Amino acid sequence: MEHIVIIGNGISGITAARHIRKKSDLNITVISSETKYFFSRTALMYVYMGHMKFEHTQPYEPWFWEKNKINLIQDYVEKIDFTNKSLTLKNGSPISYDKLILAVGSKPNKFGWPGQDLKGVQGLYSYQDLLELEENTKNGIKRAVIVGGGLIGIELAEMLLTRNYPVTFLIREESFWGNVLPKEDSELIMRHMKEHDVDLKTATELKEIISDSNGRVKSIITNKDEEIACELVGLTAGVTPNIDFLKGSDIELDKGILVNEFLETNQKDVYAIGDCAQFKQHPKKERKPIEQVWYTGRMMGETVANTICGKRLAYNPGHWFNSAKFFDIEYQTYGWVFNTPIENEEHFYWEDSSRKIALRIAYDKDTRLFHGINLYGLRMRHHAFDKWLTEKRTVEYVLEHLKDANFDPEFYKSYEPEILNEFNLKNNTYVKPKSKSWKRILSFNS
Amino acid sequence: MKLLQKIGLIIFIIGITVFTFSPFIGSYKVTNDILKSTLSEQQYANLSEKLKEKLVGKRFSYTWEISSVFVNEYEFKNETFKNKHEWDKVMHDNPQDIALSITKSSATGFYINNILLFFLISFGFGVLGAIMYFLPDVILLGPPGIKNNNIYRRPSTNRGLIAYFVFAYLIGFYILLYFYPAQLTNQILLVNPLSLLLNGHPASRWFLYGVLYCTVMLTMAVRMYIKYRHNKYQIVRTTSVLFFQVAFAFLIPELLIRFNQPSMDFKNAWPLNYSFFFDWNINNLLNSGAIGAFMLFWGIVLTLIIVPVFSYFYGKRWYCSWVCGCGGLAETLGDPYRQHSNKTLKAWKFERWIVHGVLVFAIIMTAAALYTFFTNENTLLGIETYSIQKAYGFLIGSIFAGVIGTGFYPIFGNRVWCRFGCPLAAYMGIIQRFKSRFRITTNGGQCISCGNCSTYCEQGIDVRWYAQRGENIIRASCVGCGVCSAVCPRGVLKLENGPEENRIIENPIIIGNDGIKLNL
């Protein structure tokens, strides 16, 4: 029987393993140096915050792996011999494979800052990073500086604030997550961060990290030559594929492991999925060659499982969607909303009086084609927008049927009238909300 | 703010300490009149001689000095009668209950003369201190939102020493309440004035329990209102359970007593209300005129029509987390412990056996009770029907629902009874699973498997298992508390009632991946 070896037990690798098992009796081995069991990386923050214990982040009980005959090895792969199809492990004896899936994930970016390897300077990606953060803060700290204004940065800020450690947040751009979020959206999040006492410094870069006499961080200096005393520096300026161990081997690399649309590398029977994969040409032209998102990792895992089991399948992600939570404000997005309108595009932005709930819709000025939606503090049905995007609905159609998409808990205030009112005022239209229809909602799923 | 919390905590501790240690500050004097008024003629005839010698005229500092003498004497006499085969003289009441009547009437001195003062110090300080402790959270917790911060870092909510202390305290309280009520004499006396005011009779131990239940729920509801102030579902639901507890479980039954009517909690449906079809209850209702007949009729309609119909439309949540008293306490006092329910598959298997086992037990017991009611035969298949009732009352009514049900909160989560023991929940669960419009909808492919939903599910449902597969959650045990939806950081879960069509998704596909169209 063929032996499928998967390196990496994150969402991509584990999804691949599960789907291969569903479709076949192949031998499956998953190797990870991080942890024995799969856990949800996105949930590590909740462990530090005391919402959960680490074991709660594991979606499957230990018996699951045995029952499904998925062999788990906790070890570090040092080298891959692609010619002889074998792996050298740090501790265990070598393992040979028939097919290999590289799902090795990412590591935090470090841009060569002076002092970036000092004690008390760290990223936040792996389980080991979580342990390091506990260690770095075990005696309490007076201030932390976070460098990098994206999703991991704001999560780290939230984590530290639950333990009442003051946080200074350096953002290189003019506003938070500015390469993704439009101005008002970003400002809404920044207002909320300030409400949580985050000391925000926009358009500010890290210049240098200063050491104390023990090789531990004592302060940082910004590009504006301001010195900020701190005991912890969080480097959260994005992540980069974790492929150092492959350098010098025959596998074709760029920033990540280069793959075609079938997730195949240049080596026979070797595939790469998830954070570490880089498309030579992405099957969807509007997408970036490296997708470091939970959901895309999962989809690549599903896709490669088909290929492994004999049904060669190209990666074909559907309409873009994503989500996050910024302190107390939930964010969902469906379709594409860029930080500035694309050609011939109009953005409609609405904010409620609390200035914490908002919605932004991108659409074509002439054809009225709906492009995408950003939601803050509002929950909406994924199925609804997936369907509407496929059916190429207009912005007016979407607004008219917004109540069908509403996914907020029962008894929550319904904002549709306000939203439509504002849209009508701005556009001189007369769109009226239709009442919720279960018939239409059920048709989303078909 | 923190200071205010600390002062609140101190005041609360003073209140609960006075409440807990009140048995040590009383004095009791038993008189012959008290014996005459609390004992039946038969009991007086059997026991008065020895009791006069050992109890009457003496002053005691502790209730157990009286109750132990009384219970010993009572049991000794009964033994003697049995040995002599003098069956007509054997007494059939619970000596602990009678001991309580004696100690209540015998209280004397500073404590009983200042009972209002002690009521204010115990109940008043307890409530005031707790509210002072909770209120600053409006500011301390920061802007509204899910704030489960440090729950797993505190000994009180992470099975630390404080949790074990609360565990022991609650279990101790329930054991005294059910089996040694005389030892709670001074606590019962605290609510005596309130009882006289409401129902016109001196307080019973169940009146104390009712007052405590309402007080604890009201106080802990303040905490719920603050914690979930951003979540209207939680606010409305908490208000609903509070209303049904205070009005239906407490005030209406007490007022019915005042007007010499049979007391009834109109929302308490059989088989949770397991004694409803016992012959004494049916006879009592049948002998109480129109109102009694209505109560009997209502009780039957509640179980046979209202419960299944409402469960069809709204799932069992309409009862378990909107109406029920057990659920009400679990959702208020128990909320800090909801994360301790066991989520393993093993626990789920155990749950299905035991909760349906209790339902079968309740049905058999009730069938036997009705058999006795209609035929006047006391035995069925050689078993005394009364003994089945007694066994159920002891094992399920007292031990499971009370001692384990509430006592286990701090260690095993707040819904141990509702999940593993409640026969009504089992009954509604079957409806919810197979014929209902209720479901928790999973929002497409948005789940990130973080585990907050499963962790905070008080019923031990591994919500994530379904959510991460894009599958709706249809589980018999779900009480619809809505907390999984509340704690989800990505807006993945929604409790809703809708058409039965497509409620259960057999082979879900996670949308978002156009390459995968079928789950095969």
Side-chain angles (χ1 to χ4, degrees):
Chain A
M1 190 132 9
E2 276 196 336
H3 187 204
I4 313 298
V5 174
I6 301 168
I7 308 179
N9 69 348
I11 180 64
S12 317
I14 289 301
T15 306
R18 279 180 45 241
H19 284 265
I20 293 169
R21 175 51 70 242
K22 267 169 108 174
K23 293 169 206 294
S24 76
D25 284 327
L26 300 170
N27 281 332
I28 304 173
T29 300
V30 181
I31 308 171
S32 165
S33 62
E34 190 180 14
T35 53
K36 181 169 183 194
Y37 298 113
F38 168 50
F39 70 94
S40 174
R41 192 170 301 293
T42 49
L44 283 180
M45 62 182 293
Y46 299 110
V47 178
Y48 187 82
M49 289 158 72
H51 291 209
M52 292 196 270
K53 293 205 265 190
F54 177 67
E55 70 212 47
H56 296 128
T57 67
Q58 295 166 342
Y60 302 96
E61 290 181 62
W63 57 258
F64 177 87
W65 310 105
E66 212 169 303
K67 186 188 163 212
N68 288 292
K69 288 182 286 174
I70 295 172
N71 181 28
L72 305 177
I73 296 177
Q74 188 175 359
D75 207 332
Y76 180 75
V77 177
E78 291 191 313
K79 236 177 87 184
I80 305 173
D81 179 346
F82 294 106
T83 326
N84 296 312
K85 293 190 162 185
S86 97
L87 311 173
T88 314
L89 301 182
K90 191 172 183 185
N91 299 314
S93 42
I95 289 179
S96 59
Y97 64 84
D98 296 300
K99 284 176 181 159
L100 177 67
I101 301 172
L102 299 167
V104 294
S106 315
K107 58 178 187 184
N109 273 330
K110 288 185 173 182
F111 292 121
W113 291 294
Q116 66 182 16
D117 295 318
L118 289 171
K119 282 182 230 159
V121 181
Q122 67 164 115
L124 182 69
Y125 182 84
S126 65
Y127 176 62
Q128 283 69 26
D129 291 337
L130 175 73
L131 298 181
E132 194 184 340
L133 186 64
E134 287 286 4
E135 180 64 27
N136 279 334
T137 56
K138 71 173 181 213
N139 298 322
I141 55 170
K142 291 199 197 75
R143 178 163 295 275
V145 173
I146 296 171
V147 183
L151 297 179
I152 301 179
I154 193 169
E155 285 178 1
L156 182 57
E158 184 176 0
M159 290 159 70
L160 293 165
L161 284 165
T162 60
R163 300 206 187 169
N164 298 320
Y165 302 143
V167 170
T168 298
F169 198 164
L170 307 190
I171 299 175
R172 193 179 57 177
E173 291 80 17
E174 290 295 325
S175 67
F176 171 74
W177 214 23
N179 57 337
V180 174
L181 297 183
K183 189 165 162 275
E184 291 94 342
D185 304 33
S186 179
E187 278 169 358
L188 178 143
I189 304 301
M190 289 198 293
R191 275 200 304 275
H192 188 55
M193 277 198 258
K194 284 177 192 157
E195 192 184 3
H196 276 279
D197 298 324
V198 177
D199 172 31
L200 265 181
K201 292 190 188 298
T202 54
T204 307
E205 288 179 52
L206 172 66
K207 196 165 100 185
E208 194 183 347
I209 306 169
I210 309 291
S211 168
D212 68 3
S213 52
N214 301 317
R216 177 166 279 280
V217 55
K218 102 177 167 197
S219 67
I220 63 115
I221 296 176
T222 70
N223 62 340
K224 294 168 181 170
D225 285 327
E226 184 187 359
E227 183 167 356
I228 302 167
C230 59
E231 291 83 16
L232 181 84
V233 176
L235 300 178
T236 59
V239 292
T240 192
N242 177 29
I243 53 169
D244 287 348
F245 77 111
L246 294 169
K247 284 181 180 157
S249 73
D250 294 335
I251 198 163
E252 199 186 346
L253 305 172
D254 180 33
K255 275 184 180 154
I257 304 163
L258 287 171
V259 294
N260 63 12
E261 60 185 317
F262 294 97
L263 301 156
E264 296 160 343
T265 66
N266 70 330
Q267 298 296 313
K268 190 171 182 312
D269 294 328
V270 180
Y271 306 81
I273 56 174
D275 277 19
C276 67
Q278 178 181 349
F279 290 97
K280 289 181 202 159
Q281 190 169 15
H282 199 290
K284 296 257 168 165
K285 64 176 192 312
E286 70 277 15
R287 296 203 182 190
K288 294 196 176 108
I290 304 180
E291 292 181 333
Q292 289 152 323
V293 180
W294 175 270
Y295 308 114
T296 53
R298 189 176 67 197
M299 288 178 214
M300 290 186 218
E302 273 181 330
T303 307
V304 82
N306 277 274
T307 306
I308 298 277
C309 297
K311 186 185 156 203
R312 191 162 176 251
L313 197 66
Y315 176 56
N316 178 21
H319 302 293
W320 177 256
F321 69 96
N322 202 357
S323 67
K325 193 174 180 189
F326 308 113
F327 285 90
D328 304 308
I329 298 180
E330 287 173 23
Y331 159 75
Q332 290 184 335
T333 187
Y334 301 105
W336 287 111
V337 182
F338 298 103
N339 58 359
T340 41
I342 57 170
E343 205 191 326
N344 213 40
E345 190 182 66
E346 184 94 24
H347 279 189
F348 165 67
Y349 180 77
W350 165 88
E351 208 174 74
D352 94 318
S353 57
S354 73
R355 305 203 70 197
K356 283 195 202 182
I357 296 171
L359 153 158
R360 174 183 298 272
I361 297 179
Y363 58 95
D364 190 282
K365 265 184 208 166
D366 302 323
T367 63
R368 316 299 285 172
L369 181 71
F370 170 76
H371 290 169
I373 188 166
N374 279 351
L375 298 157
Y376 303 90
L378 286 174
R379 294 175 172 184
M380 296 225 181
R381 281 178 213 270
H382 187 180
H383 282 107
F385 287 101
D386 200 62
K387 187 93 168 176
W388 291 340
L389 286 161
T390 301
E391 291 174 348
K392 300 198 182 305
R393 296 295 186 179
T394 62
V395 59
E396 282 82 10
Y397 181 92
V398 167
L399 284 171
E400 201 178 330
H401 296 87
L402 213 53
K403 283 190 177 173
D404 292 343
N406 188 319
F407 203 70
D408 271 340
E410 293 153 302
F411 303 107
Y412 271 42
K413 187 180 168 189
S414 150
Y415 291 99
E416 291 86 5
E418 273 181 47
I419 294 167
L420 265 74
N421 222 351
E422 189 155 330
F423 182 84
N424 285 332
L425 275 174
K426 279 187 182 159
N427 291 275
N428 243 331
T429 48
Y430 192 64
V431 186
K432 264 172 65 179
K434 284 200 172 163
S435 48
K436 172 178 167 179
S437 151
W438 266 104
K439 206 177 148 202
R440 286 194 298 266
I441 292 172
L442 290 173
S443 78
F444 294 148
N445 296 10
S446 55
Chain B
M1 283 297 154
K2 288 239 153 136
L3 182 71
L4 194 62
Q5 272 193 329
K6 277 185 189 149
I7 296 170
L9 194 61
I10 292 167
I11 294 177
F12 171 77
I13 290 170
I14 293 173
I16 198 156
T17 306
V18 169
F19 177 83
T20 308
F21 291 97
S22 62
F24 297 95
I25 45 180
S27 62
Y28 309 87
K29 205 176 160 191
V30 185
T31 65
N32 191 29
D33 286 345
I34 290 173
L35 292 182
K36 268 188 185 158
S37 62
T38 49
L39 301 182
S40 71
E41 269 177 41
Q42 182 204 30
Q43 289 159 353
Y44 188 78
N46 286 340
L47 302 166
S48 62
E49 192 183 334
K50 270 280 156 65
L51 292 181
K52 274 181 193 162
E53 177 193 326
K54 289 183 173 172
L55 293 178
V56 169
K58 291 187 182 144
R59 190 176 275 276
F60 298 95
S61 300
Y62 307 108
T63 48
W64 52 89
E65 293 170 325
I66 300 168
S67 65
S68 63
V69 167
F70 178 80
V71 172
N72 279 341
E73 198 52 42
Y74 185 98
E75 280 168 355
F76 175 76
K77 273 279 178 201
N78 262 357
E79 271 313 293
T80 321
F81 293 139
K82 282 176 189 167
N83 289 339
K84 289 187 192 159
H85 299 281
E86 293 177 284
W87 300 112
D88 55 323
K89 289 190 179 171
V90 174
M91 301 166 287
H92 294 288
D93 287 297
N94 179 352
Q96 298 287 352
D97 285 343
I98 309 163
L100 170 63
S101 308
I102 296 171
T103 52
K104 271 199 301 190
S105 312
S106 316
T108 170
F110 181 74
Y111 182 76
I112 189 74
N113 292 335
N114 294 282
I115 201 73
L116 275 173
L117 176 74
F118 280 100
F119 176 74
L120 282 180
I121 296 176
S122 57
F123 276 79
F125 275 31
V127 172
L128 178 76
I131 288 177
M132 279 172 74
Y133 184 76
F134 297 141
L135 276 183
D137 273 347
V138 175
I139 289 154
L140 290 176
L141 285 181
I146 289 299
K147 298 290 148 64
N148 287 328
N149 300 342
N150 300 314
I151 281 187
Y152 276 101
R153 292 165 46 78
R154 288 194 189 113
S156 52
T157 51
N158 188 26
R159 296 177 177 158
L161 260 183
I162 298 175
Y164 277 97
F165 177 76
V166 177
F167 173 68
Y169 185 92
L170 288 172
I171 288 180
F173 173 77
Y174 274 94
I175 289 176
L176 292 183
L177 179 73
Y178 284 119
F179 308 115
Y180 304 101
Q183 314 324 327
L184 292 176
T185 302
N186 274 6
Q187 284 94 340
I188 294 169
L189 288 172
L190 285 173
V191 293
N192 210 34
L194 189 62
S195 182
L196 289 168
L197 194 74
L198 271 175
N199 64 31
H201 298 277
S204 67
R205 59 174 145 159
W206 303 121
F207 186 83
L208 169 71
Y209 189 46
V211 174
L212 269 178
Y213 212 101
C214 292
T215 310
V216 168
M217 267 183 67
L218 283 161
T219 312
M220 289 300 281
V222 173
R223 179 187 161 280
M224 279 300 276
Y225 284 135
I226 294 169
K227 182 171 181 188
Y228 292 102
R229 62 193 189 278
H230 62 292
N231 189 315
K232 209 162 168 208
Y233 181 79
Q234 299 302 331
I235 301 285
V236 176
R237 187 176 66 80
T238 303
T239 310
S240 173
V241 280
L242 270 189
F243 167 76
F244 279 100
Q245 172 59 32
V246 175
F248 278 65
F250 183 65
L251 287 179
I252 295 175
E254 295 305 331
L255 291 175
L256 283 167
I257 296 173
R258 175 168 208 103
F259 296 111
N260 286 322
Q261 300 299 336
S263 164
M264 183 177 181
D265 176 353
F266 286 94
K267 65 162 176 54
N268 195 6
W270 180 90
L272 176 59
N273 182 6
Y274 61 90
S275 58
F276 188 76
F277 293 107
F278 287 0
D279 52 356
W280 56 260
N281 191 48
I282 301 179
N283 284 327
N284 180 23
L285 294 179
L286 288 176
N287 294 331
S288 304
I291 192 164
F294 170 75
M295 285 171 174
L296 189 58
F297 169 77
W298 171 255
I300 295 168
V301 168
L302 185 61
T303 295
L304 293 184
I305 298 172
I306 295 178
V307 163
V309 168
F310 272 61
S311 302
Y312 168 72
F313 281 105
Y314 307 111
K316 72 196 230 189
R317 59 178 172 154
W318 79 272
Y319 196 87
C320 298
S321 55
W322 284 73
V323 170
C324 181
C326 308
L329 193 70
E331 296 291 348
T332 47
L333 176 65
D335 180 70
Y337 309 115
R338 57 170 55 251
Q339 64 278 9
H340 295 315
S341 60
N342 189 325
K343 277 63 172 201
T344 60
L345 187 65
K346 235 170 144 176
W348 183 18
K349 286 182 177 162
F350 175 70
E351 163 200 315
R352 284 180 291 181
W353 276 107
I354 191 162
V355 78
H356 296 117
V358 172
L359 176 61
V360 170
F361 188 5
I363 290 170
I364 292 173
M365 172 198 68
T366 304
L370 286 172
Y371 173 80
T372 300
F373 174 76
F374 286 113
T375 63
N376 282 326
E377 291 282 346
N378 286 327
T379 56
L380 180 63
L381 305 171
I383 305 167
E384 237 188 291
T385 59
Y386 180 67
S387 71
I388 311 178
Q389 294 170 18
K390 214 173 152 186
Y392 188 96
F394 174 74
L395 289 173
I396 310 298
S398 304
I399 299 286
F400 208 156
V403 179
I404 293 176
T406 306
F408 279 24
Y409 277 8
I411 308 300
F412 299 98
N414 56 334
R415 287 276 193 175
V416 173
W417 160 248
C418 313
R419 179 185 183 192
F420 296 107
C422 177
L424 180 60
Y427 166 36
M428 291 190 292
I430 294 167
I431 297 167
Q432 173 160 291
R433 172 66 185 77
F434 296 105
K435 189 75 190 164
S436 169
R437 290 165 57 84
F438 171 68
R439 84 291 310 271
I440 303 176
T441 305
T442 290
N443 198 8
Q446 287 280 27
C447 176
I448 52 166
S449 303
C450 72
N452 272 294
C453 52
S454 296
T455 304
Y456 286 93
C457 176
E458 55 189 357
Q459 288 288 77
I461 300 171
D462 190 359
V463 183
R464 166 173 58 190
W465 175 272
Y466 305 89
Q468 67 191 356
R469 289 151 46 96
E471 189 176 349
N472 290 350
I473 296 105
I474 314 280
R475 277 279 290 270
S477 64
C478 174
V479 291
C481 68
V483 168
C484 58
S485 163
V487 297
C488 175
R490 306 300 177 105
V492 175
L493 303 162
K494 179 171 166 71
L495 284 71
E496 53 188 353
N497 313 309
E500 287 174 77
E501 179 198 346
N502 283 339
R503 187 175 79 112
I504 299 171
I505 310 167
E506 292 290 352
N507 277 306
I509 29 171
I510 311 177
I511 61 164
N513 192 355
D514 286 357
I516 314 284
K517 287 296 179 199
L518 271 177
N519 182 9
L520 290 173

